[in-house]
Amino acid sequence: LESVFLHHCYFNGGCRLTGYTPISASGPNGAILHYGHASAPNNRQTQEGDMMLMDMGCEYYRYGSDVSGWVSVCSNDAHGRSLLQG
């Protein structure tokens, strides 16, 4: 996801810098964006049905953007809609 976001910012948005290193989290630790560290990295693979939280941003003429969002990791769009609707 990070490479897709950065490519879009660089190629389509005209940005040349990131505001910070993009981070994402999913599953049981999805609410803890900075989960993991050098001695215990978060190397969990996303699973079907997980919610993925992302925090990314790029810089455009000294303006630092901050984009946070989430997506449902599923092959069934109806499942993602049902999570939104509760």
Side-chain angles (χ1 to χ4, degrees):
L1 289 173
E2 178 180 350
S3 64
V4 171
F5 175 77
L6 294 177
H7 174 74
H8 183 79
C9 289
Y10 298 156
F11 189 75
N12 298 318
C15 300
R16 295 292 171 250
L17 299 169
T18 58
Y20 48 89
T21 303
I23 53 178
S24 64
S26 67
N29 298 307
I32 308 169
L33 281 175
H34 295 280
Y35 176 76
H37 48 81
S39 64
N42 181 6
N43 57 1
R44 182 182 180 278
Q45 297 282 324
T46 57
Q47 305 295 318
E48 179 83 14
D50 280 353
M51 297 302 293
M52 178 174 279
L53 180 62
M54 299 167 289
D55 190 19
M56 304 174 189
C58 54
E59 190 173 305
Y60 186 73
Y61 290 99
R62 295 184 176 229
Y63 171 78
S65 69
D66 185 3
V67 180
S68 297
W70 61 271
V71 294
S72 174
V73 179
C74 64
S75 57
N76 181 355
D77 289 338
H79 176 66
R81 283 191 298 275
S82 71
L83 291 173
L84 285 173
Q85 294 169 354

